[in-house]
Amino acid sequence: MTNEIGAPGDGISRRQFLAATGSTGLFASAGCLTSSTPTVTRVDASAAQSVAGDLPTTGRPEVVELGDRDNHVTLKSVSAVHHVHPGETMNGPITLPVVWAWQADDGTPSVPGPILRIAEGETFSVTLDNTEMDMPHTFHVHGLRKTWENDGVPTTTGVTVEPGETHTYEFTANVAGTHLYHCHYQTPRHMDMGMYGVLRVEPEGYERADKEYYMTVKEWDTRLSRQYGGEGATYDITNRQMDTFTINGKSAPATFHPETGSPLVVDPGDTVRIHWVNAGFQAHPMHLHNHRFKVVEKDGSPIPEAMQLMQDVVNVAPAERYTVEFEADADPGIYLIHCHKVDHVRNGSSYPGGMLSAVVYTPAMDTELFEQVMAYAGYEV
């Protein structure tokens, strides 16, 4: 059981969470409290089991401090099972029977991949370990200025990491900010199978906010995963049919789960920063309830203070990255964060679900309403 609570980043510890909920112990469950009839098409269990029975299960994206690892990480390409929403509430369960995930060193594979964090100006390397997959991959990162052969595009660099091979990419963290990385081999298919993640280059002299979180959004056509999982589904890149919408790889209510989901847990008075990244192919206007934020970075560029308008929606286009900052100065409670293409706040044809999470104030954790929200997520307080 993880010691981290909430979305990946710099939030509160498990001990602090226990104190805020007034609990002496908690346990996570798969979620079986409120059932509903599923309407989203899912994998035939027998077919998926025959393909994915021996695959590992993804975990939460971990934050990898490259400075603590001699500025190097090995990212292993791994086939895995990904539980988008494992419970029965809100039209679950939803599972991707096969994804292609990234695994940092000996960690747990995840979708999105690990959040790589390093200080501006440092040199670092990423070894792509493709020894256990049967298809080529590459590693491409946005934002950084790099040498030609390290751009991660097979057709223009001549570098493709074939099955059974490893290859080390060399970089300098010369552009501060939040950046997207992904596989650039058969890019739309490989990203739609989960091969994307976040690189954070912290500017020289950077001071983190009181709470700092990473949230990557993506829409999915689950036919691709189900096709690889053995079901008779046919994925058509020219006619993607989005039926699943995620924040950090989870759909609501799994997004509210404090250990595997992505609630933003704050204390009253905190300065909070969210690093929003869009790894999908559609734009997602992200809206924050009852708070106004300012955009302080875009694609690695700081926004001049005179342009930092107070707002409550920012449209995050494909591959864009926005860092927004707000003060946790509302009446302490639970306030939603969601895509305001509200048809993305669904699981199949059932609303709500999908691309939906929340800002959760610690004083609200010791309430019956918080227990009810946790119950939807399959978490008992």
Side-chain angles (χ1 to χ4, degrees):
M1 193 174 288
T2 180
N3 286 322
E4 298 174 337
I5 295 298
D10 305 292
I12 71 170
S13 68
R14 180 174 170 76
R15 184 182 296 275
Q16 291 170 313
F17 178 78
L18 290 169
T21 58
S23 302
T24 57
L26 298 156
F27 64 90
S29 66
C32 56
L33 299 175
T34 305
S35 63
S36 59
T37 303
T39 57
V40 63
T41 305
R42 281 181 289 277
V43 180
D44 175 75
S46 60
Q49 191 172 23
S50 66
V51 174
D54 295 327
L55 296 182
T57 300
T58 57
R60 61 179 279 137
E62 66 172 314
V63 178
V64 174
E65 300 286 357
L66 290 172
D68 295 338
R69 305 192 187 201
D70 296 324
N71 287 8
H72 175 264
V73 66
T74 294
L75 287 184
K76 189 174 186 178
S77 55
V78 179
S79 292
V81 178
H82 183 63
H83 296 296
V84 175
H85 167 32
E88 295 181 354
T89 59
M90 295 188 188
N91 215 30
I94 303 170
T95 292
L96 300 177
V98 180
V99 293
W100 302 336
W102 302 99
Q103 173 183 313
D105 297 323
D106 295 325
T108 302
S110 64
V111 173
I115 296 153
L116 309 181
R117 193 155 64 179
I118 192 164
E120 183 180 12
E122 295 289 315
T123 59
F124 68 100
S125 58
V126 176
T127 296
L128 174 52
D129 180 349
N130 197 30
T131 55
E132 293 188 7
M133 293 200 74
D134 61 0
M135 67 200 67
H137 295 302
T138 67
F139 180 85
H140 169 69
V141 61
H142 291 214
L144 300 185
R145 299 275 294 184
K146 60 190 83 73
T147 60
W148 182 9
E149 66 269 23
N150 288 296
D151 192 40
V153 181
T155 51
T156 55
T157 66
V159 177
T160 302
V161 188
E162 299 288 349
E165 294 183 346
T166 64
H167 178 78
T168 299
Y169 296 87
E170 304 284 348
F171 303 102
T172 300
N174 49 25
V175 177
T178 302
H179 307 300
L180 173 71
Y181 69 79
H182 61 85
C183 178
H184 218 295
Y185 183 90
Q186 292 291 316
T187 312
R189 180 175 294 263
H190 286 224
M191 289 188 74
D192 256 2
M193 285 294 287
M195 302 199 79
Y196 60 89
V198 173
L199 169 71
R200 172 66 182 171
V201 177
E202 297 206 322
E204 183 177 353
Y206 184 70
E207 294 184 7
R208 294 179 190 164
D210 298 317
K211 301 291 189 301
E212 195 143 341
Y213 293 111
Y214 299 86
M215 303 188 84
T216 303
V217 297
K218 191 181 185 309
E219 77 289 339
W220 302 79
D221 180 343
T222 64
R223 292 178 303 170
L224 180 60
S225 175
R226 293 187 283 114
Q227 178 177 288
Y228 278 98
E231 186 184 349
T234 301
Y235 174 78
D236 181 358
I237 192 173
T238 66
N239 184 28
R240 290 174 77 235
Q241 298 174 10
M242 281 64 66
D243 57 4
T244 297
F245 305 88
T246 61
I247 296 176
N248 289 336
K250 300 290 185 182
S251 291
T255 49
F256 295 96
H257 196 293
E259 291 180 336
T260 60
S262 294
L264 304 188
V265 182
V266 303
D267 292 307
D270 277 345
T271 297
V272 185
R273 290 192 196 116
I274 309 172
H275 302 283
W276 266 323
V277 179
N278 186 347
F281 308 162
Q282 294 187 347
H284 298 291
M286 301 305 296
H287 171 50
L288 177 57
H289 281 213
N290 209 41
H291 298 78
R292 290 169 63 78
F293 56 77
K294 53 189 179 182
V295 177
V296 297
E297 291 179 15
K298 183 191 182 304
D299 297 349
S301 293
I303 304 298
E305 188 170 355
M307 296 177 62
Q308 294 179 10
L309 307 177
M310 301 304 293
Q311 53 195 318
D312 56 41
V313 179
V314 62
N315 192 42
V316 189
E320 279 192 321
R321 294 89 65 197
Y322 286 91
T323 297
V324 306
E325 180 179 303
F326 68 93
E327 300 301 318
D329 56 4
D331 179 40
I334 302 172
Y335 299 101
L336 297 183
I337 300 173
H338 61 89
C339 178
H340 221 288
K341 289 182 179 177
V342 289
D343 59 323
H344 295 179
V345 185
R346 62 179 171 89
N347 296 330
S349 61
S350 177
Y351 175 96
M355 208 172 279
L356 170 69
S357 190
V359 174
V360 179
Y361 281 74
T362 52
M365 288 180 169
D366 192 17
T367 65
E368 291 184 5
L369 278 174
F370 178 72
E371 288 188 26
Q372 180 178 329
V373 172
M374 292 299 98
Y376 282 122
Y379 198 92
E380 287 198 16
V381 179

